[in-house]
Amino acid sequence: AAPATGAQILAAITGNTVQGSMDGSGAYTEFYQADGIIKGSGYTGSWLVAQNKMCFAYEATPTTCYAVELNGTEVTWIGDGGAEGKGTILRGNPNKF
C-alpha cells in the first residue's frame, strides 16, 4: 500500500488509540488526543503530522517521524529502513488514559 497522506493520518488517528508493537521498543498502547498530546500507561508525549509523516516526541528521546500505511484499522509505521512496527486503531480512549 502507498503511504497515507497527512490528512488521511489525521483522520484515522486523531482522538483514537493505537495498540501494537514496535521492533525496537516492544508493545505499546497510546491515545492520541486532538490537541497533540500522547497518553500512554504512566507517561505522556506529543504528536503531530508533518510532510505526510506522523511524528512522536517523548521526554527523554528525540522526535521520531514515520510514514504511515493504513489498511482498514491496521497501521504500519515505516522508517528509513522499512517497516518498524505495527498497530491496530481502537476507537476513542478505551484504556481511559
Side-chain angles (χ1 to χ4, degrees):
T5 65
Q8 289 170 322
I9 297 167
L10 287 168
I13 302 282
T14 304
N16 289 324
T17 295
V18 180
Q19 179 175 315
S21 182
M22 296 302 288
D23 298 347
S25 54
Y28 68 91
T29 303
E30 294 183 334
F31 174 57
Y32 301 102
Q33 290 184 182
D35 63 1
I37 300 295
I38 297 170
K39 291 205 169 158
S41 180
Y43 67 93
T44 60
S46 60
W47 71 280
L48 60 86
V49 171
Q51 288 150 359
N52 296 326
K53 292 187 173 185
M54 185 161 167
C55 300
F56 304 81
Y58 305 95
E59 266 180 43
T61 58
T63 301
T64 310
C65 300
Y66 297 98
V68 182
E69 284 181 5
L70 296 169
N71 181 7
T73 59
E74 298 303 306
V75 180
T76 304
W77 307 110
I78 309 294
D80 293 336
E84 295 188 19
K86 291 191 176 293
T88 302
I89 299 169
L90 308 173
R91 290 233 158 258
N93 185 13
N95 299 83
K96 304 205 174 2
F97 291 145

